[in-house]
Amino acid sequence: MPVVTFPHMGKMELPVKTFLREMDISVIPPPQSSQKTLKKGKEYAPEFACLPFKINLGNYMEAAELGADSILMGGGFGPCRFGFYGELQKYLLQEAGYEMEMYILEKNIFHIKDIIKELSGNFSLTKMTRSFHFTWSKIKVMDKLTEKLYNLRGQVVNKEKVENDYNKLLKKLDEAETYREIDLIEQEIDNFLQIDNAVEKKLTIALVGEIYTVLEPFTNIDLARKLNYLDVSVYQTLTLSHWLKNFFTPGSGQKKLVNKAAGYINSFVGGHGLNSISDIYSLKDKVDGVVHIMPFTCMPEIVARAIIPEVIENENIPVLSLIFDEHTAEAGVKTRLEAFIDLIKYNKAR
Ligand code: SF4
């Protein structure tokens, strides 16, 4: 039977493992993304490929070395390169000497059914529906937990305690085997993080941009944590559940996003470029500033970045744009964040 792996994107490992195991499919997750992963991917990827492409290629190579022989990843279409990832990566893996089968999930239930059948050796629609439903319950709780972490870690003095509580609950969620266990974890989220040691002044920053860079701490050099440790709460609209909804119902919600963007952008430009502008505009009165992040050469976010100066000028909202690639240095990112937060504080105090 095939042994399946998948690309990392934030905490996606938890639901993917849950779903595959529920479907009796053998799975080997890649090791957590690291400089070693990037180095491997970079060696074979075209120089101008976007950073997620290089990291994912490295993920597959590392998983292959652990015994995985098949890859499950999402497909796509539209004005961005994501739809070409699978085919190109398959070719590059062969060039690099990795014999792996690539299964690209397209947005079509019959196609997904065929893939599951091939990977598990049999297929039952009831079982697949049940597994999807169970996995979806975990994803919703996981997103809620992360939202709490990003909000509260920025508000309390004892940040390590919040992190420890978060990690314990995440582990429990990973191991949960019943709906009852998931419900209990959700109840615990409401109780576990109490603000009993709040910082003096609270700031909130929205984190927007290309979804992989927003969700994957290795790619953004743990930006949300860095902001939290500067006593800043982080709010983000992009989550794993958001990505999955978009994947299975492409185009849904676009009209709403265009309306929320208030004329600064009028159409879908691929990836999450439209979301970036729509978020910046619609959150302008709810947050103290916005950090916009993207990988080098990301086409949709290049469009968004060209519009951002006009939004800043008209709406008087502070926005810091950061571009990430394999040469991005942690110290440089930290310095720019500190300067940005100081500027916001200075402007608020005037
Ligand atoms: S959204 Fe940007 S980073 Fe992601 S695949 Fe498209 S071009 Fe690359």
Side-chain angles (χ1 to χ4, degrees), residues 306-323:
I307 298 167
I308 288 174
E310 199 189 337
V311 187
I312 297 176
E313 194 171 325
N314 294 349
E315 312 300 337
N316 197 24
I317 170 135
V319 182
L320 171 69
S321 254
L322 296 172
I323 298 178

Side-chain angles (χ1 to χ4, degrees), residues 81 292 294-307 323:
R81 288 171 275 190
H292 168 249
M294 58 184 266
F296 183 53
T297 77
C298 171
M299 297 181 295
E301 298 305 328
I302 287 173
V303 176
R305 203 161 187 254
I307 298 167
I323 298 178

Side-chain angles (χ1 to χ4, degrees), residues 35-47:
Q35 285 302 333
K36 209 171 126 207
T37 316
L38 177 56
K39 195 168 169 234
K40 273 180 186 285
K42 210 172 83 175
E43 200 176 321
Y44 289 93
E47 192 186 347

Side-chain angles (χ1 to χ4, degrees), residues 104-243:
I104 303 171
L105 287 173
E106 298 299 344
K107 296 149 196 177
N108 175 323
I109 189 68
F110 298 107
H111 172 73
I112 294 174
K113 186 194 104 177
D114 289 344
I115 289 181
I116 300 294
K117 197 171 172 184
E118 206 172 322
L119 293 177
S120 66
N122 60 43
F123 180 80
S124 146
L125 186 60
T126 318
K127 190 172 172 184
M128 189 169 96
T129 313
R130 236 184 13 228
S131 305
F132 259 133
H133 194 268
F134 185 65
T135 307
W136 184 247
S137 307
K138 282 198 181 187
I139 292 174
K140 281 194 294 181
V141 174
M142 190 177 80
D143 282 349
K144 187 174 171 183
L145 184 58
T146 306
E147 189 185 332
K148 275 259 180 184
L149 171 76
Y150 287 180
N151 180 24
L152 292 181
R153 190 170 51 185
Q155 294 183 46
V156 298
V157 177
N158 191 349
K159 298 178 194 303
E160 286 83 6
K161 179 180 181 310
V162 177
E163 279 174 346
N164 286 341
D165 289 351
Y166 168 82
N167 287 331
K168 272 185 213 154
L169 280 185
L170 196 67
K171 188 164 179 285
K172 269 193 188 179
L173 187 64
D174 191 21
E175 291 163 359
E177 288 179 353
T178 63
Y179 284 105
R180 173 86 186 125
E181 285 175 74
I182 298 175
D183 285 348
L184 286 175
I185 293 165
E186 191 167 11
Q187 284 168 28
E188 275 190 68
I189 296 176
D190 297 326
N191 302 327
F192 93 107
L193 292 165
Q194 301 298 335
I195 308 177
D196 48 9
N197 53 0
V199 295
E200 217 172 281
K201 276 190 192 126
K202 186 194 161 199
L203 281 184
T204 303
I205 292 287
L207 189 55
V208 307
E210 190 273 329
I211 193 159
Y212 184 90
T213 321
V214 170
L215 295 185
E216 176 54 58
F218 170 69
T219 314
N220 65 38
I221 319 189
D222 229 344
L223 206 70
R225 187 167 189 267
K226 282 192 174 51
L227 283 165
N228 285 164
Y229 272 76
L230 291 170
D231 293 341
V232 175
S233 287
V234 172
Y235 176 73
Q236 63 188 49
T237 57
L238 296 183
T239 58
L240 194 57
S241 42
H242 167 95
W243 186 80

